[in-house]
């Protein structure tokens, strides 16, 4: 189906729409399921394979995805030969993206696995189109095992990716690389604290009076000493009652509460009591 006449469910996968008469003819024949068809353009000798989505097309017509018509070098109204075939189950496939934009996808294997659910088979040499985040990515099928055309329905298939066309590793920079320049959540904030400057207590060296060298410390002890020399990272506590346009100065010391106040008497000089070291003698 050419652009402008496409159905989204057809353009998303590798299946075609055939006329009802094809279903009547196929039911009379002893064919294997799922239905897999071989499409051939006699003029260019281009071959591909596909599944069937529905049998609702007009008689004498079939509807193909635009990327499949491009692989077969077909134009609208061109004659195409269709025959039912059986293919082996896929065990391995290798794809090559035609654009470096495919590298910006976080998990390409998961995206490809989800898009291949709309495909019934793969053919070596085909350029398939998958849609992700409102963008179409084209992938060339470089290799399939155990044959040049395989079924990918309910199979355990290993997938590999070749470098995109025109890709150079030293020149490619992901688009989201600039947003990840900060500290990752798994990194310890204390490790990025600056080294202490100025006076550092107990940072000198000691020498023995007998001239002998001191024993070397182990790596674990040296790492612990270096970590202690760094400034300790203290996480702040946010003010959840803060409002926009206000400044609040908070001091560490807080005024004593009414319960903590101890009543004090006014000071009077020389009001204390005196005692003598000698005991008073009793008078008989």
């Amino acid at each position: 189906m050419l652009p402008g006449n496409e159905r989204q469910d057809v353009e998303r996968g590798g299946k075609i729409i055939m006329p009802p008469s094809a279903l009547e003819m196929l039911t009379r024949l002893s064919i294997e399921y799922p239905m897999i068809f071989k499409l051939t353009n006699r003029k260019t000798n281009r071959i591909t394979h596909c599944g069937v989505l529905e049998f609702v097309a007009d008689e004498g017509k079939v509807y193909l995805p635009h990327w499949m018509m491009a692989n077969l070098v077909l134009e609208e109204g061109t004659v195409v030969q269709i025959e039912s075939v059986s293919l082996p189950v896929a065990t391995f496939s290798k794809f090559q993206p035609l654009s470096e934009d495919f590298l910006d996808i976080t998990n390409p294997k998961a995206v490809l696995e989800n898009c291949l659910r709309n495909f019934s088979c793969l053919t070596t040499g085909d350029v398939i189109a998958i849609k992700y985040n409102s963008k179409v990515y084209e992938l060339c099928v470089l290799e399939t095992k155990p044959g040049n055309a395989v079924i990918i329905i309910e199979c355990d298939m290993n997938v590999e990716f070749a470098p995109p066309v025109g890709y150079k590793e030293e020149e490619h920079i992901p688009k989201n690389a600039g947003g990840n320049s900060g500290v990752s959540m798994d990194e310890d904030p204390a490790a990025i604290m600056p080294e202490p400057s100025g006076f550092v207590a107990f940072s000198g060296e000691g020498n023995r009076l007998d001239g002998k060298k001191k024993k070397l410390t182990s790596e674990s002890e040296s790492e612990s000493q270096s970590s202690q020399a760094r400034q300790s990272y203290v996480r702040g506590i946010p003010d959840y009652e803060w409002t926009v346009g206000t400044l609040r100065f908070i001091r560490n010391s807080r005024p004593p509460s009414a319960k903590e106040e101890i009543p004090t008497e006014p000071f009077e000089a020389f009001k204390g009591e005196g005692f003598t070291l000698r005991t008073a003698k009793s008078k008989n």
Side-chain angles (χ1 to χ4, degrees):
M1 302 181 66
L2 294 177
N5 301 324
E6 70 271 8
R7 278 177 46 179
Q8 294 300 326
D9 52 350
V10 178
E11 290 296 328
R12 273 197 220 103
K15 299 179 181 180
I16 63 175
I17 299 178
M18 302 178 66
S21 60
L23 178 60
E24 296 178 3
M25 185 177 298
L26 291 170
T27 53
R28 299 172 188 170
L29 304 175
S30 57
I31 62 173
E32 296 182 3
Y33 291 88
M35 295 182 182
I36 301 297
F37 300 96
K38 177 182 177 182
L39 307 182
T40 306
N41 185 356
R42 288 288 187 86
K43 294 182 179 180
T44 58
N45 293 326
R46 301 292 294 269
I47 298 174
T48 189
H49 298 80
C50 66
V52 60
L53 182 64
E54 295 175 354
F55 291 93
V56 294
D58 297 335
E59 291 297 331
K61 296 181 180 179
V62 291
Y63 298 103
L64 280 65
H66 178 65
W67 64 265
M68 192 177 295
M69 296 181 64
N71 288 333
L72 294 173
V73 195
L74 285 175
E75 296 181 358
E76 189 174 1
T78 308
V79 178
V80 60
Q81 178 180 339
I82 303 176
E83 54 183 311
S84 177
V85 294
S86 59
L87 300 176
V89 179
T91 59
F92 173 81
S93 61
K94 188 174 183 179
F95 299 88
Q96 182 183 26
L98 300 186
S99 173
E100 296 182 10
D101 295 339
F102 189 76
L103 298 176
D104 297 327
I105 300 178
T106 305
N107 193 345
K109 283 191 176 182
V111 173
L112 180 62
E113 179 182 358
N114 186 38
C115 294
L116 288 181
R117 295 176 181 176
N118 299 319
F119 289 74
S120 299
C121 54
L122 293 174
T123 306
T124 302
D126 278 0
V127 177
I128 64 174
I130 62 174
K131 188 175 182 180
Y132 177 70
N133 281 349
S134 302
K135 188 172 183 179
V136 178
Y137 299 92
E138 293 185 340
L139 303 175
C140 179
V141 184
L142 296 182
E143 184 181 359
T144 56
K145 292 181 181 179
N148 292 331
V150 291
I151 296 178
I152 60 173
I153 299 176
E154 296 181 357
C155 67
D156 186 9
M157 180 178 64
N158 296 324
V159 177
E160 288 186 4
F161 290 99
V165 177
Y167 169 75
K168 293 182 180 180
E169 187 173 358
E170 61 275 4
E171 294 181 0
H172 178 75
I173 300 177
K175 293 181 180 180
N176 56 357
N180 298 333
S181 59
V183 183
S184 62
M185 297 300 295
D186 298 335
E187 188 176 356
D188 185 11
I192 63 172
M193 294 295 292
E195 295 292 337
S197 59
F199 173 75
V200 179
F202 305 106
S203 61
E205 298 180 356
N207 298 314
R208 297 179 52 163
L209 295 177
D210 54 5
K212 295 181 180 180
K213 295 183 179 180
K214 63 179 181 178
K215 295 181 180 179
L216 297 177
T217 58
S218 60
E219 294 182 359
S220 59
E221 293 178 356
S222 61
E223 290 178 359
S224 62
Q225 292 176 1
S226 61
S227 61
Q228 292 175 0
R230 292 178 177 175
Q231 298 178 1
S232 58
Y233 175 78
V234 180
R235 187 182 296 275
I237 301 176
D239 183 8
Y240 295 102
E241 299 180 356
W242 179 82
T243 56
V244 179
T246 60
L247 291 176
R248 185 176 299 175
F249 299 94
I250 302 175
R251 293 178 172 80
N252 294 331
S253 61
R254 58 185 182 85
S257 60
K259 296 181 180 179
E260 297 179 355
E261 293 181 356
I262 301 174
T264 58
E265 297 179 358
F267 173 75
E268 295 181 6
F270 306 106
K271 191 183 178 183
E273 298 179 358
F275 299 93
T276 60
L277 297 178
R278 297 178 180 180
T279 57
K281 295 181 180 180
S282 60
K283 295 182 181 179
N284 294 329

